[in-house]
Amino acid sequence: MKIIKGSASGMCVISGQSAPNFSLPDEGGHLHNLADYQGNFVILYFYPKDNTAGCSKEAQQFAEVYAAITACGGKIIGISRDSQSSHEKFKTKYSLPFTLLSDVDSTVCNLYEVIKEKNMYGGKTMGIERSTFIIDQEGTIRDIYRKVKIDGHAAQIVESLKKISSSQ
């Protein structure tokens, strides 16, 4: 079950605007509302698929910087179109210390405009473009990273978060 709050208004998701609110279930079936995280920085990252080489590496790198992000008042939330049970296995396999949300019908992926055409094995398909959004304590998008290259990205997020949090 998924409850969506907010809507795509036809506007592009850009830095400086309010982050689209949503509710999605985590790996255990508990609903998470973005609005519930106000007062914290949110590192909202979208990734294509659990247990693939790139997504596993990205998740592990976010796990490695988890303490640095929480020290800045941040929470990490990963979103993909995988099922709750897939997320549960993925989280357990890699001992991930952060929340994974299941967006099986792509509603939130569409709100954040991360569904893009991709070329896979010579064919075109629609999939998640690896993207990260830094959302501040008031729910405003502060930074957007699209077409993310995995190596060094989590460390880049920590540095950006430190700059944002120290400027407030």
Side-chain angles (χ1 to χ4, degrees):
M1 175 173 113
K2 180 178 0 183
I3 302 164
I4 300 298
K5 295 180 183 173
S7 64
S9 61
M11 294 176 24
C12 292
V13 177
I14 57 172
S15 291
Q17 78 175 51
S18 292
N21 194 22
F22 60 83
S23 293
L24 286 174
D26 67 12
E27 65 282 347
H30 302 98
L31 282 178
H32 290 254
N33 297 296
L34 182 60
D36 294 341
Y37 289 87
Q38 284 204 326
N40 296 285
F41 287 100
V42 175
I43 307 308
L44 186 65
Y45 86 97
F46 292 85
Y47 65 99
K49 189 149 183 64
D50 291 341
N51 289 306
T52 57
C55 295
S56 297
K57 184 175 182 180
E58 183 179 29
Q60 289 172 302
Q61 288 181 9
F62 272 117
E64 289 169 7
V65 300
Y66 178 78
I69 287 175
T70 58
C72 292
K75 305 281 185 185
I76 302 171
I77 301 173
I79 297 179
S80 79
R81 298 186 298 179
D82 293 300
S83 69
Q84 293 170 21
S85 64
S86 176
H87 280 342
E88 186 174 29
K89 292 172 189 165
F90 184 53
K91 188 171 178 172
T92 300
K93 180 177 181 178
Y94 292 104
S95 301
L96 301 177
F98 49 83
T99 300
L100 299 177
L101 300 180
S102 181
D103 187 22
V104 294
D105 66 5
S106 305
T107 304
V108 175
C109 291
N110 286 320
L111 280 176
Y112 282 82
E113 302 169 333
V114 299
I115 301 292
K116 305 290 181 185
E117 186 175 79
K118 296 177 160 191
N119 291 313
M120 300 226 8
Y121 309 111
K124 294 191 185 290
T125 184
M126 298 302 284
I128 293 177
E129 176 183 77
R130 202 177 300 280
S131 304
T132 303
F133 298 79
I134 298 178
I135 302 166
D136 70 16
Q137 301 101 320
E138 288 78 41
T140 301
I141 298 172
R142 295 295 297 268
D143 274 330
I144 300 173
Y145 298 84
R146 297 199 183 265
K147 296 183 181 178
V148 166
K149 303 292 182 225
I150 298 165
D151 288 332
H153 177 63
Q156 177 185 32
I157 295 299
V158 170
E159 291 309 309
S160 182
L161 182 57
K162 284 180 181 177
K163 286 178 188 170
I164 293 167
S165 64
S166 69
S167 71
Q168 292 188 331

